């Protein structure tokens, strides 16, 4: 029997059925209760801190206990044992691929890694110092003008769009970087694995052979896996919301990239590095930065700290802290910023301000240090995040369409003026 909660307001009572998830999370289903139809009431939850926007079978996140699972598999297992493409397949299709399925998936992707030559011309039109997230968002939207067959109700057309996006985003990212450096674009080499192909497009030159390093590619696979999905975060909710209006998939992904760009979301990884750099250049005083973050008259925040959902620890940050050490050691890099990051974390975690507000390092805190060790420039770091998150965005977009969700259209509580007498312009 379905449990219900009773909402009493003035002389009205509304029975609200509970929905229980597979991990026993409980939500009150205001839609099923037809709250607004029956009572005229809406709920107000600015920032959606207490609101589930959907039921979803993709990712399970327990913020209190630091648990993150994709399709039931722990993030720790996936980061240790899988390639990024295996995890993409898992997110999109719900099951891990066997060797044959993975091979077929990779072969299909490889048929779509090139960009249309006319799209390549776009990169030359962007200013040389354009932020690569702007280029990425614009390029994703531009793909919809090259591939106009993408009827969102046609599964075959959607499947092709999904493949194109996954195949082309690393090429777009590589071209955006090359444009910023004034270097020739490097075309994809489909003999290479996904991460190696991307690194080659970033760092090779037509004049030299390029030798890829398996350790670097493994580290990159792990980073992309850790970023691949995080249930209804800001950018994923954006993709779902734009998609709910039946916009083409490319346009939804472009919107997701834009949402990710912000400093409170994926853009934090770039800013973490900037802050660590600043501390380093000012003599390594981490306490000063912590004091600044605590000052309520200063809008400054410690980047890479705090999370809407994790209130104990971010499991991705725990994995990345260990990986940062391993990667730096393997590459023989002695990065003073890692030492500053460790000291900053220690100082903040002992501080009452951070303890009371349950502010812990998030995924962005250590990812930048690894990206830096791999040679990824700071302003490309959020693009790396987008490359990982793309698979999650698409999985959610597909799920939303499969669930035939209605258009997303929140309500509001109006606080503006009441009806006013109109005054013609010559009398104002
Ligand atoms: N530094 C200093 N104070 C902080 C920080 C921080 N990084 N994060 C939160 N706080 C404080 C707030 O000022 C607020 O204090 P108050 O209660 O005295 O007013 C309290 O902690 C709660 O903060 P909110 O902004 O209400 O928490 P919310 O859940 O809305 O925000 C967010 C979460 C956006 C991640 C926030 O912690 C933040 O801005 N962090 C820095 C940016 C960052 O690292 N973003 C990446 C997040 S992970 C990701 O998107 C992949």
């Amino acid at each position: 029997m379905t449990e219900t909660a009773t909402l009493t307001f003035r002389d009205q009572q509304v029975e609200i059925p509970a929905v229980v998830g597979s991990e026993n999370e409980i939500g009150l289903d205001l839609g099923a209760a037809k709250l607004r139809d029956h009572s005229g009431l809406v709920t107000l939850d600015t920032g959606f801190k207490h609101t589930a926007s959907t039921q979803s079978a993709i990712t399970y996140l327990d913020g209190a206990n630091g648990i993150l699972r994709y399709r039931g598999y722990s993030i720790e297992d996936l980061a240790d044992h899988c390639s990024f493409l295996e995890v993409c397949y898992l997110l999109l299709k719900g099951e891990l691929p066997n060797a044959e399925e993975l091979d077929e998936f990779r072969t299909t992707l490889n048929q779509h890694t090139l960009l249309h030559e006319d799209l390549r011309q776009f990169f030359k039109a962007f200013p040389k110092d354009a932020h690569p997230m702007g280029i990425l968002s614009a390029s994703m939207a531009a793909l919809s003008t090259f591939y106009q067959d993408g009827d969102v109700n046609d599964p075959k057309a959607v499947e092709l769009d999904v493949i194109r996006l996954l195949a082309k985003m690393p090429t777009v990212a590589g071209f955006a970087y090359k444009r910023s450096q004034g270097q020739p674009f490097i075309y994809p080499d489909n003999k290479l694995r996904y991460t190696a192909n991307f690194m080659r497009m970033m760092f090779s030159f037509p004049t030299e052979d390029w030798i890829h390093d398996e350790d670097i590619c493994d580290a990159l696979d792990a980073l992309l896996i850790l970023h691949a999905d995080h249930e209804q975060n800001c950018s994923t909710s954006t993709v779902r919301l734009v998609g709910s209006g039946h916009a083409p998939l490319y346009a939804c992904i472009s919107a997701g990239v834009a949402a990710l760009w912000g400093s409170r979301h994926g853009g934090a990884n770039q800013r973490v590095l900037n802050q660590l750099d600043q501390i380093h250049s000012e003599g390594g005083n981490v306490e000063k930065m912590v004091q600044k973050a605590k000052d309520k008259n200063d809008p400054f925040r410690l980047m890479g700290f705090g999370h809407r959902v994790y209130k104990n620890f971010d499991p991705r940050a725990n994995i990345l802290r260990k990986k940062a050490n391993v990667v730096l050691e393997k590459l023989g890099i002695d990065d003073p910023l890692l030492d500053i990051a460790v000291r900053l974390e220690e100082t903040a975690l002992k501080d009452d301000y951070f303890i009371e507000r349950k502010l812990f390092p998030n995924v962005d805190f250590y990812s930048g240090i690894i990206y830096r060790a791999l040679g990824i420039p700071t302003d490309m770091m959020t693009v790396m995040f987008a490359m990982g998150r793309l698979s999650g965005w698409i999985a959610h977009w597909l799920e939303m369409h499969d669930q035939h969700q209605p258009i997303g259209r929140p309500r509001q509580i109006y606080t503006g003026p009441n009806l006013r007498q109109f005054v013609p312009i010559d009398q104002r």
Side-chain angles (χ1 to χ4, degrees):
M1 206 183 74
T2 309
E3 279 184 280
T4 59
T6 308
L7 176 78
T8 306
F9 183 71
R10 295 183 182 156
D11 57 352
Q12 304 183 64
Q13 280 200 341
V14 183
E15 291 295 312
I16 307 170
V19 176
V20 184
S22 48
E23 293 286 342
N24 293 322
E25 288 170 302
I26 300 174
L28 298 178
D29 191 342
L30 301 173
K34 295 195 182 328
L35 179 71
R36 191 169 162 274
D37 297 348
H38 290 154
S39 66
L41 295 171
V42 294
T43 54
L44 175 62
D45 182 18
T46 310
F48 309 119
K49 291 192 177 193
H50 314 273
T51 297
S53 60
T54 188
Q55 297 186 48
S56 176
I58 300 171
T59 287
Y60 173 63
L61 199 171
D62 174 348
N65 295 306
I67 294 172
L68 176 62
R69 295 181 202 140
Y70 301 160
R71 303 282 191 188
Y73 294 102
S74 85
I75 192 69
E76 289 81 4
D77 279 344
L78 295 173
D80 274 351
H81 304 298
C82 286
S83 70
F84 174 59
L85 279 194
E86 275 177 272
V87 172
C88 283
Y89 188 102
L90 170 71
L91 286 169
L92 296 175
K93 300 187 187 274
E95 297 296 335
L96 282 167
N98 61 29
E100 203 179 311
E101 288 163 336
L102 182 61
D103 203 40
E104 196 186 320
F105 186 50
R106 191 179 292 122
T107 307
T108 313
L109 283 182
N110 281 346
Q111 288 159 8
H112 296 274
T113 50
L114 283 173
L115 300 185
H116 193 292
E117 280 296 295
D118 291 345
L119 179 58
R120 194 176 65 96
Q121 300 303 324
F122 281 38
F123 290 85
K124 297 198 169 140
F126 290 114
K128 204 164 165 293
D129 59 353
H131 195 286
M133 284 297 274
I135 299 181
L136 187 64
S137 180
S139 304
M140 292 298 108
L143 284 174
S144 68
T145 66
F146 287 86
Y147 306 107
Q148 300 182 19
D149 46 353
D151 178 351
V152 295
N153 296 312
D154 174 353
K156 279 268 164 252
V158 167
E159 200 179 324
L160 186 54
D161 284 343
V162 169
I163 294 293
R164 283 183 186 133
L165 275 161
L166 288 168
K168 291 180 198 304
M169 194 185 264
T171 314
V172 169
F175 280 19
Y177 173 65
K178 286 296 188 190
R179 165 71 189 140
S180 72
Q181 301 300 299
Q183 293 171 4
F185 299 128
I186 302 293
Y187 284 67
D189 176 350
N190 292 340
K191 290 191 294 305
L192 297 173
R193 65 196 260 204
Y194 196 81
T195 41
N197 200 1
F198 168 71
M199 290 302 268
R200 182 181 158 277
M201 286 189 279
M202 287 282 289
F203 297 118
S204 74
F205 297 94
T207 44
E208 290 166 22
D209 284 343
W210 184 75
I211 300 158
H212 82 272
D213 180 322
E214 281 298 317
D215 289 338
I216 288 191
C217 295
D218 287 348
L220 197 50
D221 267 274
L223 280 158
L224 296 184
I225 290 168
L226 293 175
H227 283 103
D229 194 41
H230 213 232
E231 47 117 303
Q232 310 307 322
N233 58 85
C234 174
S235 54
T236 303
S237 295
T238 301
V239 170
R240 288 185 87 125
L241 188 61
V242 178
S244 76
H246 285 199
L249 176 57
Y250 300 107
C252 301
I253 298 303
S254 167
V257 173
L260 187 73
W261 192 354
S263 64
R264 290 196 175 178
H265 193 13
N269 62 5
Q270 166 175 0
R271 287 168 180 83
V272 170
L273 253 277
N274 295 340
Q275 282 183 4
L276 294 176
D277 249 338
Q278 191 188 337
I279 297 173
H280 182 52
S281 65
E282 291 172 359
N285 187 346
V286 295
E287 284 80 11
K288 195 172 139 198
M289 209 53 118
V290 170
Q291 290 309 323
K292 191 169 161 60
K294 289 161 58 176
D295 181 355
K296 284 289 154 199
N297 296 316
D298 189 335
F300 174 83
R301 285 186 172 196
L302 214 50
M303 289 291 123
F305 272 81
H307 198 276
R308 170 59 62 80
V309 186
Y310 293 120
K311 299 297 173 196
N312 197 344
F313 66 94
D314 180 339
R316 302 166 302 172
N318 280 2
I319 298 173
L320 285 180
R321 188 190 303 104
K322 289 180 210 136
K323 286 225 181 284
N325 277 312
V326 173
V327 170
L328 263 57
E329 199 173 308
K330 265 191 187 161
L331 298 177
I333 296 173
D334 184 14
D335 190 341
L337 296 202
L338 181 60
D339 170 54
I340 291 177
V342 171
R343 285 196 292 119
L344 188 61
E345 180 181 1
E346 279 168 7
T347 309
L349 292 185
K350 276 192 260 159
D351 193 289
D352 284 346
Y353 174 97
F354 287 81
I355 295 169
E356 279 159 20
R357 289 168 181 75
K358 299 185 189 304
L359 301 172
F360 297 87
N362 59 49
V363 66
D364 287 333
F365 191 65
Y366 283 102
S367 64
I369 292 186
I370 306 182
Y371 283 135
R372 192 168 123 113
L374 303 186
I376 307 287
T378 312
D379 67 357
M380 281 292 291
M381 288 177 185
T382 319
V383 171
M384 304 303 298
F385 192 151
M387 271 173 47
R389 186 56 56 88
L390 176 64
S391 50
W393 290 333
I394 296 174
H396 282 272
W397 188 93
L398 293 171
E399 181 179 66
M400 183 208 54
H401 278 284
D402 284 350
Q403 291 169 336
H404 303 292
Q405 288 199 354
I407 188 166
R409 205 302 187 184
R411 308 294 301 204
Q412 64 165 17
I413 305 295
Y414 175 70
T415 58
N418 298 114
L419 181 64
R420 295 199 274 180
Q421 187 71 41
F422 178 76
V423 183
I425 192 162
D426 58 351
Q427 293 167 36
R428 278 177 230 155

